[in-house]
């Protein structure tokens, strides 16, 4: 019994009629499309902060899973709600001193308005470290929220002194892939007791700041421009292919 030869689809027939040069250009275009899609997905995972709700009561805890493509030092912040124009002196004020306090091992900063104390224990894998909330940072605030960066807890009796810079002084790291973070409130000032806040796990990639290992993803801030160029090239290749193999018109 003889089997009839398989018939090519119209797309396969047109592909066979293309010149070798056009085939190579289509293959290269497809590889660029796959590369842009994959790197843009990694970029999106690297620029978005992760946030979770946390109640500022001693003993309260919250957990969250975070996925990042490359291991890096972790950084955190607390985000407080406020109405536009509202003054919240209990959150402190980011007014750095003229001369930073000097320490033999870990540098530090002292503030005249440190805000109500907050101490949070951060645990991930086999790592754990206590963090304290620094004064409210105007550069990270908007009309409806205000942020207090978290920095490793500095032992000592001076509540106005904080470890600086936070990332360079912490062993807490986000692993490559998935990490499970647990945050436990250990201490909180009386004026902030019971307040619900958002705890932010800062992204490793920003337009002005880049963690080690993420610099190769920084150009993806312009991924829409790359996608537009790729779309134009695809349209040009399609036009050239149709000229080479115009679609058949039905006979009258």
């Amino acid at each position: 019994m003889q089997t009839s030869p398989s018939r090519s689809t119209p797309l396969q027939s047109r592909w066979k009629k293309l010149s070798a040069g056009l085939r190579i250009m289509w293959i290269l275009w497809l590889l660029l499309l796959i590369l842009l899609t994959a790197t843009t997905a990694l970029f999106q995972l690297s620029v978005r902060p992760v946030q979770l709700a946390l109640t500022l009561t001693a003993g309260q805890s919250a957990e969250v899973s975070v996925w990042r493509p490359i291991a890096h030092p972790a950084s955190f912040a607390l985000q407080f709600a406020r109405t536009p124009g509202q003054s919240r002196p209990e959150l402190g004020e980011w007014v750095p001193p003229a001369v930073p306090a000097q320490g033999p091992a870990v540098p530090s900063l002292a503030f005249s308005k440190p805000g109500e104390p907050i101490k949070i224990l951060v645990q991930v894998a086999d790592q754990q470290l206590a963090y304290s909330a620094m004064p409210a940072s105007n550069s990270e605030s908007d009309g409806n929220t205000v942020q207090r960066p978290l920095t490793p807890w500095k032992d000592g009796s001076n509540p106005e002194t904080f470890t600086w810079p936070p990332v360079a002084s912490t062993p807490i790291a986000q692993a490559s892939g998935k990490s499970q973070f647990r945050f436990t409130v250990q201490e909180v000032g009386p004026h902030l007791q019971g307040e619900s806040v958002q705890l932010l796990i800062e992204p490793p990639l920003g337009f002005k700041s880049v963690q080690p290992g993420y610099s190769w993803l920084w150009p993806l801030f312009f991924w829409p421009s790359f996608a537009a160029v790729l779309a134009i090239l695809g349209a040009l290749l399609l036009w050239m292919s149709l000229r080479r193999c115009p679609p058949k018109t039905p006979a009258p």
Side-chain angles (χ1 to χ4, degrees):
M1 182 177 180
Q2 293 183 345
T3 57
S4 58
S6 59
R7 301 180 62 181
S8 299
T9 64
L11 185 59
Q12 289 173 328
S13 299
R14 290 181 184 178
W15 177 258
K16 293 176 181 178
K17 293 178 181 179
L18 293 179
S19 65
L22 269 177
R23 291 185 191 180
I24 291 174
M25 285 190 286
W26 271 116
I27 292 173
L28 290 176
W29 182 87
L30 183 60
L31 291 175
L32 288 174
L33 178 62
I34 294 172
L35 178 63
L36 180 61
T37 302
T39 53
T40 301
L42 293 177
F43 168 80
Q44 295 295 341
L45 290 169
S46 304
V47 296
R48 294 179 179 175
V50 175
Q51 63 182 48
L52 69 157
L54 183 66
T55 301
L56 296 182
T57 302
Q60 288 290 321
S61 62
E63 295 188 28
V64 66
S65 296
V66 182
W67 196 98
R68 301 294 190 194
I70 304 169
H72 62 89
S75 59
F76 315 97
L78 293 177
Q79 182 173 274
F80 295 78
R82 70 172 179 183
T83 57
Q86 179 186 13
S87 175
R88 299 203 58 181
E90 70 275 17
L91 300 182
E93 185 177 350
W94 189 282
V95 181
V99 180
Q102 299 298 319
V106 179
S108 59
L109 284 180
F111 295 86
S112 58
K113 300 178 180 179
E116 289 278 318
I118 301 174
K119 183 179 180 182
I120 295 177
L121 179 67
V122 181
Q123 297 168 290
V124 57
D126 58 348
Q127 310 170 67
Q128 68 174 26
L129 186 67
Y131 281 76
S132 59
M134 300 186 76
S137 172
N138 292 328
S139 63
E140 301 294 338
S141 305
D142 56 34
N144 298 315
T145 62
V146 59
Q147 288 188 20
R148 294 184 67 178
L150 296 183
T151 188
W153 178 268
K154 185 176 178 62
D155 292 327
S157 58
N158 187 358
E160 301 178 355
T161 303
F162 299 88
T163 302
W164 186 262
V167 173
S169 310
T170 173
I172 294 291
Q174 161 77 47
S176 175
K178 180 182 176 181
S179 293
Q180 184 76 19
F181 285 91
R182 180 180 177 87
F183 303 89
T184 304
V185 180
Q186 293 187 318
E187 298 178 15
V188 60
H191 293 92
L192 296 175
Q193 283 279 354
E195 181 168 350
S196 296
V197 300
Q198 293 292 318
L199 192 147
L200 305 180
I201 302 177
E202 304 286 5
L205 179 62
F207 195 79
K208 295 182 179 180
S209 61
V210 183
Q211 290 277 16
Y214 282 84
S215 57
W216 64 279
L217 284 173
W218 189 91
L220 270 301
F221 276 105
F222 306 99
W223 72 263
S225 300
F226 301 150
V229 172
L230 206 56
I232 293 172
L233 291 175
L236 180 60
L237 282 175
L238 181 61
W239 175 75
M240 294 171 62
S241 300
L242 290 176
R243 281 192 62 191
R244 183 75 174 81
C245 310
K248 294 181 179 181
T249 55

